[in-house]
Amino acid sequence: MGEGRRRDLTPRFTSASRSQMAPPRANPSRYPLLVLSLLLLLLIPAAAAVAVDSSLSTFSYSRHCPGFPAAADVPAADGPSPPTLQLSTGYFSGGGARIFGPEPSHTRSFSLLPTSVVRTANASLLHVSATLAVSGGRRLFRDGLGGRKLLKYDGRAHYFRPRLPRFSGRRGSITFGMEGYYSTASGELCMVGTGSGRAADGTPVHFLPVVLRLGFPNPANLTRPFVTGRLESVNTITPIEPVSLVAYAEEGYVYAESASCPPPPVGRLDALHVFEGRNFSCAHLSSMLKTPFRLNYQSGNESTASSLGLHQRYMYVNRLQCKDDGAVRAYVAFTNQTAASRYYFMLGEKAVVADGFWDQQRSRLCLKGCHVVNSGQSRADLAVGECGIGMNFWFPAVWSLQQRSFAAGLIWNTSLKSGEAIAAGSSALTPNYRGNLSGLKYNYTKVDEAMKHYEKSGLNKNRKGKFPDSSSYRDLVFRFYVQKGGGSGYASPVTVGSMLFDGNSLVVPDPFSHHVTTEMKQRLINVSYDIYYVGNWSLESFRRRHISAEGVYDTKTGSLCMIACRELNVSSDCEILVTAQFSSLDAKVAQHVKGTIRSLRKKSDPLFFGTLEIASYGMYVDQVDESIWRMDLESTMALISMTLACIFIAVQLFHVNKVPEALSAMSITMLVVLALGYMIPLVLNFEALFKNSNKQTFPLTGGGWLEVNEVMVRIITMITFLLQLRLLQLAWSARSVDVSKAESWAAEKKVLWICLPLYIIGGVITWVVHMRFNHSRRMLRQVVHMKPVGHAFWEDLVSYGGLILDGFLLPQVILNAFSDSKVRALSPGFYIGSTIIRALPHVYDVFRRQHFVPSLRPSYMYASPHDDLFSLAWDIVIPCGAILLSVVLFFQQRCGGAFFLCSKNRKTREYEMVSTVSS
């Protein structure tokens, strides 16, 4: 078929050429030969380019890696497997700010993932193909007082939320396809290849030829744990700066033969047996040590800190490698950053490499470490310096107010005989921890002091209602907002009595013991809390604070009274009183916790701070279930309501077919208002027809997520809107052909002259109220106050439009009054049914206020404040006004449009109309 087309096109082309240029007659059969010749001329340079590229690759490798001549691959044979040569993550320095971004403010990481490692004819060489990914485009999360703000104000939620690090997509990332050889004798790897990606400024980078040289320690040990190397460009046209690479060796490590666990210089608490009844697991140990450790520089360990050169606030076990027999090695970084990621190789301000073993009998990790020093001008030039560092890690079996670390550690200088050590502790519970916590105990030390303040402050006074207790422990978790000064926080129980709260459930040491059974029936229960607070604390800037608290909770009054400790730079402040009162479980209020955080110190004390009033706006667990049921109910009511509206318009269409004069008697203004009332929700919620991710959804076969009831409501709204347009079109057409159309349009103009100014005045009032509310929000921007969520002006205008719809009969009533018509323009089923549909949401709103707890950000499927005006006053005025208009219209269609206007003009007009008909 292609040849046929070519024969058809060729004569036309030659004919056109002949007619325009008038060349000598040519033989058409030569044109296919010419086309083939052109294709050959195009293919030959392409093939030559491929051959040149292949030879260039071979030439590039032999030129840049002369020490490892290429060798032929050999089939795999039995024997030990070759090394994988994989580097999951490492750090690089250099490369230039244009390609990878400024080094101090951007994370730097690389990975080498071999795709094949094959033996060659040369027994000491391995043929390696790998993918090298170099990424430097991710910005660091700045901490401290300067730089990027740690918090941003959430206008909808009305509280300050942490500002997450921003990532710039794949900018500053280049991926290379590498190929070369690895020498098993020297541990050196040399590879060449090209890469492409995007520079940090967003410009594309294509076909960047480079050479990679890496030195693997052979073997790796405590004094040689790093893989180092360089990545250099071989392109003289657009070269990049040399890149220095460093990574923690992942294989081939030889542990010290004389590894032992020296006793710590100070005593420690009993350790939790995390591997009791099962084998040692490196992955499990790594997950338990992944949270940052806070270093505690107390008085008495200054010499240890000085000798080790430690002054940083946090310690990260950044890399951890193990063997099945319990041998462990680690790379530990020290830094002042609170948001450093353990997934990348960290340099930190200081680092230590260590190896040792897990002591299964004593349930502790024992390590001997050495300092990591910089051996060159680049930050990636790392080497191992002096040793003599002792490190222990364990998991305390007893917690208290000031010792509440899930993982604890000690660091000391083995050359010092003073017995000093620097203590370290991680957060209370590692996220997503699934280990055994049944042996963990809590030692209450401040309950007696908290009890005194509990009785003194009057929190023991009886209150009506049922309050959360140990059986509804999830209700004891709450988020709070500081009412003055700004800030927000989160409070969660650590222990309730002798039971540990792990975030999802209570871990009971012995659920059938008499002690636990008695404890659950007590009125006063010992509790401990972890409180995380973000906001202004005295004159300090916004920074996340952790408060440990313990005290008593009264299950009969819902009162909580605790003594708390907050962390300071080098010490802690335990002169803090935290009080809170929970609302009853059946209370229908939005604020379910109210309390204070205040200092017990004198005002002259430097650590004194003003009282912080806190409040929590949320729902209990059972109330959340009720709210879900309410949403389902409202979804059904919205669907029924819109279906009835569609039916009532259909009833009106049947009515105008039976009473043709009703079309010209209907108010065009009323029909336009109703049409806009159905059109505006369709326009504003058009996206809901296709996607709604904020509500309960289910997967469809098409792969999308749709809310069925929402889609059904929109579809029925669309049908209703089309029917309303049809009714408007019929009324407009009938008014245009009416013999008395001049009089009808004159009455309609009078309706507009009355209704339009009323609508405009209402819109102006809405704008004034909106501007006053926004002004109040601007004045109190730094204060977290719990008021209705602010809207844009158009949203408030839509709510005002709901009020206009509630009075949709007003234009018809005014038209009937001016025309003094007795024509039954509207069917009773239409105007009575539509009035009921507009009044029912307000009746339901009264019911909802009495039986459901208003949440902070409620999701209303029916009777939403976004669709109409709802309050106690509006819920009375609007239904009464709508019913009044229906009653007036009812009498107008039976007694005349101006029945309530007793005047001589009306009587004369009625008499003239009767005499005309009689004649």
Side-chain angles (χ1 to χ4, degrees):
M1 184 178 293
E3 293 177 357
R5 289 180 179 176
R6 192 179 296 115
R7 285 196 296 269
D8 292 340
L9 292 173
T10 301
R12 294 173 189 165
F13 173 76
T14 54
S15 176
S17 301
R18 185 167 59 250
S19 64
Q20 294 176 6
M21 302 178 64
R25 180 178 292 273
N27 186 2
S29 62
R30 292 183 179 180
Y31 284 94
L33 297 176
L34 291 175
V35 174
L36 291 175
S37 300
L38 290 174
L39 290 175
L40 288 174
L41 289 174
L42 292 174
L43 290 175
I44 289 173
V50 173
V52 170
D53 182 69
S54 177
S55 63
L56 178 62
S57 178
T58 305
F59 172 76
S60 298
Y61 177 79
S62 61
R63 177 183 176 184
H64 296 286
C65 302
F68 309 106
D73 297 349
V74 297
D78 296 336
S81 301
T84 62
L85 303 177
Q86 175 176 310
L87 298 175
S88 301
T89 182
Y91 179 84
F92 75 92
S93 178
R98 186 187 71 85
I99 300 295
F100 300 111
E103 190 167 348
S105 61
H106 288 67
T107 58
R108 297 292 188 95
S109 65
F110 79 92
S111 63
L112 182 67
L113 304 176
T115 56
S116 68
V117 179
V118 183
R119 297 188 183 276
T120 65
N122 187 340
S124 63
L125 288 182
L126 298 176
H127 186 195
V128 183
S129 298
T131 299
L132 175 67
V134 184
S135 177
R138 287 175 288 271
R139 287 187 176 274
L140 283 172
F141 181 70
R142 295 182 182 177
D143 194 0
L145 303 180
R148 188 163 168 253
K149 293 183 178 180
L150 294 178
L151 299 167
K152 61 180 178 181
Y153 182 74
D154 190 335
R156 290 189 174 273
H158 283 282
Y159 69 97
F160 292 89
R161 64 170 71 248
R163 188 186 295 271
L164 299 177
R166 293 181 179 177
F167 297 95
S168 306
R170 294 186 61 85
R171 290 190 175 189
S173 300
I174 301 179
T175 302
F176 299 90
M178 309 296 294
E179 189 171 2
Y181 290 87
Y182 169 75
S183 172
T184 57
S186 61
E188 295 182 4
L189 173 67
C190 188
M191 309 180 77
V192 296
T194 59
S196 61
R198 295 180 64 192
D201 57 4
T203 58
V205 178
H206 297 296
F207 305 111
L208 182 65
V210 293
V211 57
L212 172 67
R213 298 183 181 89
L214 287 177
F216 288 79
N218 191 13
N221 52 38
L222 183 60
T223 57
R224 297 182 60 200
F226 298 116
V227 177
T228 57
R230 288 174 70 84
L231 180 71
E232 297 178 343
S233 173
V234 298
N235 188 353
T236 58
I237 300 176
T238 57
I240 63 171
E241 298 178 12
V243 175
S244 299
L245 307 171
V246 62
Y248 191 59
E250 298 186 12
E251 58 184 342
Y253 190 90
V254 177
Y255 289 85
E257 296 180 358
S258 59
S260 61
C261 190
V266 293
R268 64 181 181 88
L269 299 176
D270 293 335
L272 190 68
H273 290 272
V274 292
F275 294 110
E276 187 176 8
R278 59 177 175 173
N279 296 329
F280 170 78
S281 170
C282 185
H284 188 53
L285 179 63
S286 178
S287 67
M288 292 187 294
L289 296 175
K290 69 180 181 180
T291 54
F293 289 77
R294 183 182 175 91
L295 300 179
N296 188 7
Y297 298 101
Q298 294 182 347
S299 58
N301 57 16
E302 295 86 355
S303 59
T304 298
S306 177
S307 63
L308 295 178
L310 293 179
H311 58 81
Q312 293 77 20
R313 295 173 58 194
Y314 298 99
M315 175 181 69
Y316 291 81
V317 182
N318 185 242
R319 303 286 102 191
L320 189 72
Q321 301 286 341
C322 317
K323 294 177 66 177
D324 294 337
D325 60 358
V328 181
R329 59 189 177 98
Y331 171 81
V332 183
F334 299 85
T335 179
N336 287 318
Q337 297 180 7
T338 59
S341 174
R342 67 182 298 270
Y343 298 102
Y344 301 106
F345 186 81
M346 292 176 54
L347 291 188
E349 288 82 14
K350 187 173 182 58
V352 169
V353 289
D355 65 7
F357 67 97
W358 173 260
D359 187 345
Q360 181 71 16
Q361 182 178 2
R362 298 181 180 180
S363 190
R364 62 174 179 171
L365 178 61
C366 308
L367 301 173
K368 285 184 177 181
C370 303
H371 294 275
V372 175
V373 297
N374 191 276
S375 60
Q377 297 181 352
S378 171
R379 296 187 68 197
D381 295 334
L382 301 183
V384 176
E386 297 181 357
C387 298
I389 302 175
M391 303 180 75
N392 271 0
F393 292 95
W394 70 96
F395 306 95
V398 179
W399 289 359
S400 63
L401 178 63
Q402 294 183 282
Q403 299 292 336
R404 199 182 288 181
S405 299
F406 175 72
L410 287 175
I411 309 168
W412 68 93
N413 191 337
T414 58
S415 62
L416 297 179
K417 299 182 179 179
S418 59
E420 298 177 3
I422 301 173
S426 68
S427 59
L429 266 182
T430 304
N432 301 322
Y433 174 72
R434 293 295 180 267
N436 182 18
L437 296 175
S438 59
L440 187 61
K441 297 180 181 179
Y442 191 93
N443 181 26
Y444 293 95
T445 58
K446 296 288 185 178
V447 171
D448 293 337
E449 184 178 352
M451 182 67 73
K452 295 178 182 178
H453 290 282
Y454 163 76
E455 297 174 350
K456 183 178 179 180
S457 58
L459 295 174
N460 55 351
K461 294 181 180 179
N462 291 330
R463 298 170 61 200
K464 295 181 179 180
K466 178 177 172 49
F467 300 92
D469 53 20
S470 57
S471 62
S472 57
Y473 52 87
R474 290 188 181 91
D475 293 327
L476 297 176
V477 181
F478 62 92
R479 296 182 181 275
F480 63 86
Y481 308 88
V482 180
Q483 295 181 325
K484 295 181 180 180
S488 62
Y490 176 79
S492 175
V494 176
T495 57
V496 179
S498 60
M499 298 174 288
L500 175 70
F501 182 69
D502 66 353
N504 296 311
S505 59
L506 288 177
V507 180
V508 184
D510 185 4
F512 302 104
S513 66
H514 176 72
H515 175 70
V516 173
T517 304
T518 305
E519 193 175 71
M520 296 181 67
K521 297 180 180 180
Q522 291 178 348
R523 172 175 175 173
L524 291 178
I525 302 177
N526 297 340
V527 294
S528 62
Y529 266 76
D530 269 336
I531 303 173
Y532 296 94
Y533 163 71
V534 181
N536 280 329
W537 194 298
S538 183
L539 299 178
E540 299 174 347
S541 67
F542 286 96
R543 177 181 293 174
R544 186 185 185 192
R545 292 290 181 181
H546 173 237
I547 308 173
S548 301
E550 67 175 41
V552 293
Y553 173 70
D554 191 339
T555 59
K556 299 298 183 182
T557 64
S559 301
L560 181 67
C561 184
M562 300 182 294
I563 300 296
C565 295
R566 61 168 174 163
E567 298 174 349
L568 301 176
N569 292 330
V570 294
S571 61
S572 59
D573 176 19
C574 293
E575 297 293 326
I576 300 174
L577 180 66
V578 177
T579 60
Q581 283 192 320
F582 292 81
S583 63
S584 62
L585 294 173
D586 55 353
K588 308 302 179 184
V589 293
Q591 186 183 57
H592 79 288
V593 178
K594 183 179 181 180
T596 60
I597 302 176
R598 63 186 182 91
S599 176
L600 297 177
R601 298 178 180 271
K602 297 181 179 179
K603 291 186 177 180
S604 58
D605 196 300
L607 298 180
F608 175 84
F609 60 89
T611 301
L612 304 177
E613 296 183 359
I614 62 175
S616 177
Y617 291 78
M619 293 183 289
Y620 292 123
V621 175
D622 292 340
Q623 293 172 344
V624 171
D625 295 336
E626 293 179 358
S627 179
I628 295 174
W629 181 85
R630 173 189 59 79
M631 292 176 62
D632 293 337
L633 173 65
E634 291 181 358
S635 176
T636 305
M637 293 176 66
L639 185 61
I640 295 174
S641 176
M642 190 54 61
T643 304
L644 290 176
C646 184
I647 294 174
F648 294 149
I649 295 178
V651 169
Q652 179 64 18
L653 287 172
F654 284 116
H655 173 72
V656 297
N657 286 334
K658 294 180 180 180
V659 186
E661 61 271 19
L663 285 173
S664 58
M666 284 192 299
S667 170
I668 300 296
T669 304
M670 177 195 69
L671 297 178
V672 170
V673 167
L674 289 174
L676 290 176
Y678 296 122
M679 183 190 72
I680 292 176
L682 287 174
V683 174
L684 297 180
N685 298 285
F686 183 74
E687 186 180 358
L689 284 170
F690 303 98
K691 183 176 181 181
N692 191 339
S693 59
N694 295 327
K695 298 175 183 177
Q696 296 177 350
T697 56
F698 71 94
L700 298 178
T701 56
W705 288 84
L706 296 175
E707 174 59 35
V708 168
N709 53 11
E710 190 78 7
V711 172
M712 292 298 296
V713 169
R714 301 306 169 194
I715 291 175
I716 297 177
T717 304
M718 177 67 75
I719 298 173
T720 307
F721 172 63
L722 295 177
L723 292 177
Q724 184 66 40
L725 283 182
R726 174 59 178 168
L727 188 61
L728 175 61
Q729 185 262 335
L730 292 175
W732 189 284
S733 301
R735 184 74 63 86
S736 300
V737 299
D738 189 11
V739 293
S740 59
K741 62 180 181 180
E743 184 179 352
S744 300
W745 283 114
E748 191 69 43
K749 288 181 181 179
K750 294 179 181 179
V751 172
L752 277 176
W753 277 109
I754 294 177
C755 292
L756 198 58
L758 288 177
Y759 296 157
I760 293 175
I761 292 173
V764 171
I765 295 174
T766 302
W767 178 77
V768 171
V769 173
H770 172 80
M771 294 304 295
R772 290 190 61 183
F773 175 73
N774 277 359
H775 177 72
S776 300
R777 286 202 301 136
R778 285 195 296 268
M779 295 297 293
L780 301 175
R781 181 170 295 177
Q782 299 298 328
V783 180
V784 178
H785 54 87
M786 303 313 301
K787 288 189 176 182
V789 179
H791 304 290
F793 173 64
W794 67 267
E795 292 179 303
D796 291 336
L797 204 59
V798 170
S799 299
Y800 166 67
L803 177 63
I804 296 177
L805 282 175
D806 293 333
F808 74 98
L809 289 178
L810 179 63
Q812 185 66 50
V813 170
I814 297 175
L815 179 66
N816 291 343
F818 281 116
S819 61
D820 196 16
S821 172
K822 278 187 176 183
V823 177
R824 296 189 177 183
L826 301 182
S827 167
F830 172 73
Y831 70 84
I832 295 177
S834 298
T835 299
I836 293 175
I837 289 177
R838 298 304 306 178
L840 272 180
H842 297 276
V843 177
Y844 170 75
D845 184 58
V846 176
F847 169 80
R848 183 170 56 192
R849 291 173 183 273
Q850 297 295 325
H851 294 83
F852 296 102
V853 179
S855 61
L856 180 61
R857 289 180 289 178
S859 298
Y860 293 137
M861 306 288 293
Y862 180 74
S864 171
H866 297 287
D867 300 329
D868 205 342
L869 300 177
F870 291 95
S871 67
L872 183 60
W874 286 118
D875 291 341
I876 297 175
V877 172
I878 290 177
C880 292
I883 294 173
L884 178 62
L885 289 175
S886 283
V887 172
V888 172
L889 182 62
F890 174 81
F891 285 105
Q892 280 182 332
Q893 294 188 159
R894 281 159 177 77
C895 304
F899 75 94
F900 50 88
L901 298 176
C902 298
S903 64
K904 295 182 179 180
N905 293 334
R906 175 177 175 269
K907 293 180 180 179
T908 304
R909 185 174 181 182
E910 286 182 354
Y911 176 78
E912 290 175 353
M913 291 176 63
V914 172
S915 63
T916 302
V917 173
S918 300
S919 63

